[in-house]
């Protein structure tokens, strides 16, 4: 009792945001409506809020409360975190703490980069957000450092280098703190690298473990790589994993094998395009499931591994689900790694389906020809049925909301020669990136926001968009689903019908990850805006020319 009283007195004198977040706080993050403590709005990455002040009726009166400039012209894909009235957000070049109610900047700590840094980044100069734990803000940097800042002051507490970035490694991922360990992934599969997941001590930065996603000779799975191909085998880990605190298991998606040209690395190429179930304390792999063996198509399986407890054949089941870039929606038993369902949620022509017994795709001649070096029309394109942009899952409606991509592309493998620090893909990039939707060359909607039944992959509704959406999705108990457009509109949809209820022009393309929280009886929604991600870099979509860059954070609430 005395200790409690002292703690209360101490807390009263600390400035807002200064109290330390515990492992328990993080574990309860999904139900904590006052804070946004986790990437993905909860360890389960469901991006679902029980808040209802913003609902199907009131959303029409949603208005901006404040706007905060990032002073940065890159793609803004970072997810804000909120703790005790302070909002923590990152760009590639800075970490910032902002008063969540007023938008007033409390501190800003810049990242100092060596001038050659941007050269080694494949798909946008970005950062996807921070992690909070024990009074510290953790982030990664493009030159492959992991940094801990004091949440109160922004001052650096520790900084650790993961690897020399110059041969093609970069970090954009938001760290995950699980069982007190700071876990980070890394990018670089397009540069002939061999990638990994790291664990760091939260207090000191001490390196605790490294789990390679491509095994060395003699390690489990090494027989899936011929010769020395494992050395440039890729397997990046650029999106934050989910965590089940009861099972003490982290679920982390693994990227594509390198090079794209599959003929040079005959075999399954474990653990590329897989999900790894890991022990957060040791990095030990508990089980793995591979989505796309011997993948020629850059079908990174990094995108979020959403955890939910759903009924499968009438039986409550702990699952991990994934709207995979290869076009199939997977539901897997997360205690065992057993596949429960896999159905296409977009047009797919490289596989007829997924064999539920083996988990392996049933190949069509498209992938057979592609591996043999012939030119094919590929659906979905190498950007996938969905790229990195995270889905939301409404546990009450049992529906996943995903910004899906609706275009194919011409694909042709060519020889690849490894040169340290250069692109190493083995794909003819001169063939163009977008395949016309119809045979007569007309271009229909290139994307849909879809409400997907996880067990069938079928859409309950779909909201088309001429230009594909590359923002994260947020679902709420108010029956409102938030998403954003590359043309700048932040949008709200009816969760049951897909009817568009509201939108607001943010001034640049929305590629951020919306979040919501409640402070002093008001529900707020925040999203970053700022164009410059993978579609704007590679699609050649002329319509993007009229969209100005310029990163900022918008916060909205319902007008009383
Ligand atoms: Ca990739």
């Amino acid at each position: 009792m005395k200790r409690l009283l002292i703690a209360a007195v101490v807390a009263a004198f600390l400035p807002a945001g200064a109290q330390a977040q515990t492992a328990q706080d993080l574990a309860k993050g999904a139900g904590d409506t006052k804070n946004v403590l986790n990437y993905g709005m909860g360890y389960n990455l469901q991006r679902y809020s029980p808040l209802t002040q913003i609902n199907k009726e009131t959303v029409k009166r949603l208005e901006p409360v404040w706007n905060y400039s990032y002073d940065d012209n890159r793609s803004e894909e970072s997810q804000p975190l909120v703790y005790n009235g302070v909002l923590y957000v990152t760009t590639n070049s800075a970490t910032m703490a902002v008063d969540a109610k007023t938008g007033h900047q409390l501190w800003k700590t810049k990242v100092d980069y060596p001038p050659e840094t941007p050269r080694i980044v494949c798909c946008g100069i970005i950062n996807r957000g921070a992690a909070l734990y024990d009074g510290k803000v953790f982030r990664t940097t493009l030159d492959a450092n992991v940094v801990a800042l004091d949440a109160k002051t922004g001052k650096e507490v520790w900084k650790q280098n993961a690897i020399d970035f110059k041969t093609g490694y970069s970090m954009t991922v938001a760290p995950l703190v699980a069982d007190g360990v700071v876990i980070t992934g890394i990018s670089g599969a397009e540069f002939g690298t061999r990638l990994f997941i790291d664990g760091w001590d939260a207090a000191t930065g001490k390196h605790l473990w490294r789990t390679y996603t491509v095994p060395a000779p003699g390690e489990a799975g090494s027989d899936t790589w011929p010769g020395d191909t494992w050395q440039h085998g890729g397997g990046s880990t650029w999106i934050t994993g989910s965590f089940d605190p009861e099972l003490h298991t982290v679920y982390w998606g693994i990227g594509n094998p390198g090079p794209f040209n599959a003929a040079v690395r005959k075999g399954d190429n474990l653990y590329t395009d897989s999900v790894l179930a890991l022990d957060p304390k040791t990095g030990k792999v508990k089980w793995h499931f591979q989505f796309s063996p011997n993948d020629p198509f850059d079908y990174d399986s990094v995108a979020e591994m959403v955890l939910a407890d759903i009924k499968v054949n009438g039986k409550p089941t702990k699952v991990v689900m994934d709207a995979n870039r290869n076009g199939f929606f997977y539901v897997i038993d997360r205690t065992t790694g057993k596949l429960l369902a896999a159905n296409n949620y977009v047009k797919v022509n490289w596989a007829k389906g997924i064999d539920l017994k083996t988990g392996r795709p049933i190949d069509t001649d498209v992938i057979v020809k592609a591996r043999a070096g012939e030119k094919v029309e590929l659906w979905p394109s190498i950007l996938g049925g969905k790229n990195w942009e995270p889905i939301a899952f409404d546990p009450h409606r049992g529906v996943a909301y995903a910004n899906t991509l609706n275009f194919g592309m011409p694909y042709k493998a060519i020889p690849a020669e490894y040169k340290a620090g250069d692109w190493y893909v083995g794909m003819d990039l001169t063939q163009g990136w977008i395949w016309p939707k119809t045979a007569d060359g007309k271009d229909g909607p290139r994307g849909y926001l879809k409400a997907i039944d996880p067990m069938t992959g079928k859409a309950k509704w779909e909201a088309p968009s001429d230009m594909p959406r590359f923002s994260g999705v947020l679902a709420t108990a108010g029956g409102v689903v938030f998403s954003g457009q590359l043309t700048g509109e932040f949008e709200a949809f009816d969760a049951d019908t897909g009817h568009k209820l509201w939108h607001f022009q943010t001034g640049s393309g929305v590629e951020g990850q919306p979040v919501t929280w409640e402070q002093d009886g008001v529900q707020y929604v925040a999203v970053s805006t700022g164009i410059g991600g993978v579609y704007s870099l590679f699609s050649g979509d002329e319509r993007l020319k009229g969209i100005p860059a310029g990163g900022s954070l918008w916060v909205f609430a319902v007008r009383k």
Side-chain angles (χ1 to χ4, degrees):
M1 188 62 205
K2 200 175 162 192
R3 253 178 72 189
L4 272 178
L5 192 67
I6 292 166
V9 169
V10 170
F13 285 97
L14 283 168
Q19 293 95 325
Q21 310 78 14
T22 66
Q24 265 185 332
D25 293 338
L26 293 179
K28 288 182 191 154
D32 181 353
T33 54
K34 298 243 187 313
N35 302 300
V36 179
L37 276 175
N38 322 85
Y39 183 86
M41 300 266 306
Y43 270 146
N44 55 23
L45 303 185
Q46 286 185 1
R47 296 179 187 277
Y48 173 81
S49 171
L51 292 173
T52 57
Q53 189 178 85
I54 300 169
N55 56 46
K56 293 180 189 186
E57 293 307 314
T58 61
V59 71
K60 297 174 187 87
R61 290 185 278 120
L62 204 58
E63 286 191 344
V65 179
W66 53 262
N67 174 258
Y68 172 77
S69 172
Y70 288 142
D71 188 20
D72 182 73
N73 274 349
R74 303 291 188 170
S75 171
E76 308 302 348
E77 301 184 2
S78 173
Q79 186 209 291
L81 298 170
V82 181
Y83 185 66
N84 279 351
V86 178
L87 193 149
Y88 300 90
V89 70
T90 62
T91 63
N92 78 92
S93 59
T95 312
M96 294 144 281
V98 178
D99 184 306
K101 220 167 162 176
T102 65
H104 176 70
Q105 179 180 295
L106 301 173
W107 55 258
K108 177 171 184 169
T109 303
K110 288 193 175 172
V111 181
D112 288 321
Y113 284 119
E116 66 270 36
T117 310
R119 196 177 64 82
I120 48 80
V121 180
C122 96
C123 308
I125 307 291
I126 55 154
N127 185 271
R128 292 204 170 83
L132 292 173
Y133 175 65
D134 198 21
K136 296 183 193 67
V137 183
F138 303 93
R139 68 164 294 160
T140 63
T141 67
L142 289 171
D143 52 349
N145 291 317
V146 184
V147 183
L149 305 175
D150 185 313
K152 204 162 59 176
T153 63
K155 289 212 165 63
E156 188 177 296
V157 181
W158 56 258
K159 176 176 170 179
Q160 289 281 38
N161 181 246
I163 195 162
D164 179 1
F165 72 94
K166 292 191 188 71
T167 52
Y169 298 87
S170 57
M171 287 173 119
T172 57
V173 68
L176 169 72
V177 180
D179 280 347
V181 177
V182 180
I183 303 174
T184 53
I186 189 156
S187 315
E190 278 67 46
F191 294 86
T193 56
R194 176 186 176 226
L195 298 147
F196 46 82
I197 303 169
D198 280 321
W200 313 86
D201 182 85
T204 65
K206 185 178 170 235
H207 190 240
L208 301 175
W209 53 262
R210 169 163 295 178
T211 298
Y212 280 95
T213 56
V214 173
E219 292 174 357
S222 61
D223 56 344
T224 65
W225 295 91
D228 60 3
T229 54
W230 61 278
Q231 290 180 9
H232 306 298
S236 46
T237 49
W238 49 280
I239 296 293
T240 311
S242 48
F243 176 51
D244 185 330
E246 284 172 21
L247 298 174
H248 296 282
T249 305
V250 166
Y251 303 87
W252 207 290
I254 313 301
N256 62 283
F260 295 177
N261 186 337
V264 304
R265 42 171 175 78
K266 288 190 171 125
D268 282 357
N269 312 131
L270 291 171
Y271 298 97
T272 63
D273 293 349
S274 302
V275 54
L276 294 181
L278 299 162
D279 180 331
K281 293 268 193 201
T282 63
K284 199 170 158 277
V285 177
K286 296 183 179 186
W287 57 257
H288 77 275
F289 177 88
Q290 189 176 41
F291 302 97
S292 303
N294 191 237
D295 166 28
F297 303 136
D298 191 26
Y299 286 154
D300 285 269
S301 296
V302 294
E304 70 291 345
M305 297 292 154
V306 176
L307 308 186
D309 297 349
I310 63 171
K311 277 194 175 162
V312 178
N313 300 325
K315 199 176 130 210
T317 310
K318 290 176 188 291
V319 303
V320 52
M321 57 178 92
D322 177 45
N324 198 273
R325 193 150 142 179
N326 72 12
F328 292 92
F329 199 108
Y330 291 79
V331 181
I332 297 168
D333 184 324
R334 73 172 179 269
T335 63
T336 62
K338 184 182 181 293
L339 180 63
L340 302 172
N343 296 285
N344 66 301
Y345 65 95
V346 290
K347 177 178 170 181
V348 173
N349 74 353
W350 66 274
K352 285 190 204 89
I354 306 295
D355 182 325
L356 275 187
K357 277 211 182 83
T358 63
R360 299 179 75 88
I362 304 158
D363 291 351
T364 66
D365 61 348
V366 170
I367 193 167
V368 174
K369 283 179 182 170
R371 285 185 181 127
E374 287 181 48
K375 183 178 168 180
V376 296
E377 176 187 337
L378 173 69
W379 288 78
S381 84
I382 68 166
L383 292 186
K386 184 184 81 69
N387 203 268
W388 79 274
E389 64 279 5
I391 68 170
F393 177 72
D394 182 326
H396 302 289
R397 288 177 170 84
V399 171
Y401 301 97
N403 276 326
T404 67
L405 306 179
N406 184 45
F407 51 88
M409 78 183 299
Y411 176 90
K412 189 179 184 325
I414 54 172
E417 200 182 321
Y418 176 74
K419 197 167 154 247
D422 277 0
W423 277 69
Y424 180 63
V425 293
M427 174 192 165
D428 186 350
L429 297 169
T430 66
Q431 299 278 344
W433 282 73
I434 306 289
W435 198 272
K437 183 174 157 48
T438 55
D440 61 7
K442 280 192 188 147
D443 190 23
R446 286 190 183 171
Y448 291 92
L449 171 62
K450 291 191 184 186
I452 299 170
D453 173 356
M455 292 303 287
T456 65
K458 290 202 165 60
K460 293 191 166 173
W461 55 257
E462 44 189 42
S465 172
D466 288 348
M467 222 180 291
R469 296 179 180 92
F470 271 83
S471 79
V473 183
L474 168 68
T476 68
V480 177
V481 174
F482 289 95
S483 179
Q485 289 269 15
L486 289 176
T487 43
E489 294 87 355
F490 185 45
E491 305 172 307
F493 296 87
D494 184 316
D496 297 302
T497 65
H499 178 66
K500 193 162 148 183
L501 300 170
W502 171 90
H503 74 268
F504 176 85
Q505 173 55 252
T506 62
S508 186
V510 179
E511 298 179 306
Q513 310 178 49
V515 295
T516 187
W517 71 97
E518 181 185 35
Q519 186 175 351
D520 301 332
V522 178
Q523 182 184 355
Y524 297 94
V525 176
V527 73
S528 290
T529 184
I531 199 162
V534 65
Y535 183 81
S536 52
L537 289 174
F538 294 116
S539 69
D541 195 324
E542 295 282 324
R543 296 168 295 182
L544 292 170
K545 280 189 179 155
I547 298 162
S552 71
L553 178 68
W554 286 97
V555 171
F556 302 89
V558 170
R559 181 164 38 93
K560 288 262 164 74

